[in-house]
Amino acid sequence: MRKILEDFCNDTDRSKGLLLIDMPTGTGKTYSVAEYIVNNYEKIKGKIIFVTQLKKNLPEDEIRKCFKKLGKEDEIDNVLLRVENNVDNLCCNFKKVKAELEKYIGDKFLIYKINREIELINSNNITDANMFLVQQARDDLQNELERELRNKVTAYLSFDKDGKERSKEEKKKLLETDDEYRWIAKLYPTVNTDNKKILIMSLDKFLYRYSTIIEPPYNMFESDLIKNGIIFMDEFDGTKDVILKKIIKDGLENQLGIIELFREIYVGLFMPNFTKNLIDESAYNQKHKNFKKTIEIIKEFRLKAKSIYNDYKLKYQYKLR
């Protein structure tokens, strides 16, 4: 398997490709991939990303063992980033930076509420009786408190004392060199995404919007982050369920009111005057005499819109059963 991975992944002439490795459970696929990553990450031009459905299957332990085996333990944390969701990061790292949050962010009531919820979530005394309270605390962090804190931290990093917005490079420099900002990387490790060579994450994190604090959220699979890189996807045949859930969730979140949209178009078509840019004929249209004139196209649109408006009696407000 080592030879298969090296022959395929280290082929510099290959601009893109897909390799499916179908081997039974227990044959050492994950360790072989971890071993390949550690032995070859410096040879790959882009990043190496390992994606799996369940966080418990992330090969962090295997990667660390392979680094240790090669005597490169000091390099691990410089190149490896385990990507967690923001709430998990907050629960793990909040205590480490609580003093800095109080000093530089200053919203003591918000920090108090977050601290209270985290103490409940991290409690060793979780029973059936208080399980509901623990879940409620996590929901509060997920839906409100973590987002509010992240917005404050983002604003603190993004603007100087005069209100001038900093560039991405300026933010990165502050995170690396200034003690007033260095703590942010402990709370939100993804600020170091650009500097890390190996990223390991759940499939959810790979598919959904990726936040780094230093730039607007983006879709990783559409970004330059995967350019010239390699993506290892564990249990590839099972990813369809996660992807289907994402498609359904996106569809439910992006609803469109067709009737109201048409009403807006209708009103726009019957405005007294169109802008000059819309009515003036283009040079291309003037050369091709068989093209309809712009004003004729607008008249046709108006006739069709009027017909729809009357046929469906859109002057009335509808309530659908």
Side-chain angles (χ1 to χ4, degrees):
M1 183 170 169
R2 180 190 296 176
K3 188 174 188 309
I4 292 172
L5 289 172
E6 289 180 350
D7 288 347
F8 183 82
C9 298
N10 294 0
D11 180 6
T12 55
D13 294 328
R14 177 186 52 78
S15 60
K16 59 183 177 180
L18 176 66
L19 173 65
L20 296 177
I21 300 178
D22 185 11
M23 293 172 64
T25 301
T27 52
K29 294 191 298 294
T30 302
Y31 186 81
S32 295
V33 169
E35 196 173 41
Y36 166 80
I37 291 173
V38 173
N39 285 316
N40 294 273
Y41 73 90
E42 293 175 307
K43 301 174 186 176
I44 304 301
K45 189 174 181 182
K47 295 187 183 297
I48 297 177
I49 303 173
F50 187 98
V51 180
T52 185
Q53 290 185 66
L54 300 175
K55 290 194 296 183
K56 67 179 184 178
N57 293 335
L58 289 173
E60 182 175 1
D61 290 340
E62 288 85 349
I63 290 173
R64 290 185 178 277
K65 285 177 185 176
C66 291
F67 267 105
K68 186 175 181 179
K69 187 177 177 181
L70 292 176
K72 295 182 176 181
E73 294 173 80
D74 295 340
E75 296 180 26
I76 299 174
D77 293 324
N78 293 328
V79 298
L80 176 65
L81 175 63
R82 180 183 176 120
V83 179
E84 299 281 5
N85 68 53
N86 289 326
V87 171
D88 285 340
N89 277 330
L90 194 59
C91 289
C92 290
N93 303 320
F94 179 78
K95 296 289 187 183
K96 301 175 186 175
V97 297
K98 186 170 177 284
E100 286 85 351
L101 284 169
E102 290 174 344
K103 181 177 180 180
Y104 299 116
I105 302 303
D107 190 332
K108 291 187 178 180
F109 185 58
L110 174 62
I111 292 170
Y112 165 77
K113 287 194 292 184
I114 290 173
N115 187 66
R116 181 187 61 195
E117 308 294 23
I118 289 175
E119 285 185 347
L120 183 57
I121 293 169
N122 292 340
S123 171
N124 293 324
N125 278 330
I126 298 177
T127 63
D128 292 340
N130 66 6
M131 181 62 74
F132 173 77
L133 293 175
V134 173
Q135 185 57 52
Q136 185 63 53
R138 189 168 186 85
D139 289 344
D140 288 344
L141 284 178
Q142 181 78 49
N143 300 327
E144 179 185 355
L145 300 178
E146 187 281 323
R147 186 181 294 117
E148 187 177 347
L149 179 66
R150 180 162 26 106
N151 288 340
K152 289 180 180 292
V153 173
T154 301
Y156 173 69
L157 178 62
S158 297
F159 298 94
D160 64 19
K161 293 176 182 178
D162 297 322
K164 181 183 176 183
E165 188 169 5
R166 298 181 174 115
S167 68
K168 180 180 176 180
E169 292 306 315
E170 287 174 325
K171 296 175 196 174
K172 288 171 69 174
K173 186 175 180 180
L174 287 173
L175 290 167
E176 292 170 3
T177 61
D178 195 324
D179 287 338
E180 286 189 26
Y181 299 90
R182 207 194 302 264
W183 58 271
I184 296 175
K186 295 178 184 176
L187 186 60
Y188 292 111
T190 52
V191 297
N192 290 319
T193 297
D194 287 354
N195 302 330
K196 302 295 184 179
K197 185 74 175 184
I198 306 165
L199 308 179
I200 59 175
M201 67 189 72
S202 68
L203 183 60
D204 281 346
K205 291 302 297 179
F206 185 74
L207 291 176
Y208 288 88
R209 303 284 281 175
Y210 189 77
S211 174
T212 65
I213 303 294
I214 61 173
E215 58 190 325
Y218 56 85
N219 290 324
M220 180 173 287
F221 57 85
E222 295 176 330
S223 72
D224 289 339
L225 210 61
I226 65 173
K227 190 176 181 181
N228 298 318
I230 296 173
I231 300 171
F232 290 100
M233 192 166 287
D234 189 31
E235 302 292 346
F236 180 78
D237 57 333
T239 60
K240 59 183 181 293
D241 291 333
V242 179
I243 295 171
L244 180 60
K245 286 178 183 176
K246 181 182 186 300
I247 292 171
I248 293 171
K249 185 173 183 291
D250 289 348
L252 292 172
E253 288 179 350
N254 294 285
Q255 299 182 19
L256 180 65
I258 298 295
I259 293 175
E260 289 307 315
L261 176 62
F262 177 81
R263 282 199 179 105
E264 289 182 25
I265 295 171
Y266 178 83
V267 171
L269 282 169
F270 285 90
M271 293 289 284
N273 296 305
F274 277 85
T275 66
K276 190 172 183 295
N277 288 340
L278 282 175
I279 295 176
D280 280 358
E281 298 292 328
S282 68
Y284 184 84
N285 278 18
Q286 289 173 351
K287 287 181 182 178
H288 296 76
K289 301 299 181 184
N290 59 327
F291 277 28
K292 289 182 181 178
K293 292 187 175 298
T294 305
I295 198 65
E296 292 175 3
I297 296 172
I298 291 172
K299 285 179 180 178
E300 286 186 11
F301 279 145
R302 282 174 170 165
L303 286 172
K304 289 179 181 178
K306 189 74 174 176
S307 175
I308 293 170
Y309 189 83
N310 290 332
D311 288 349
Y312 291 93
K313 298 177 174 55
L314 294 182
K315 65 181 178 180
Y316 302 111
Q317 292 295 324
Y318 281 84
K319 294 290 184 183
L320 302 182
R321 290 186 182 178

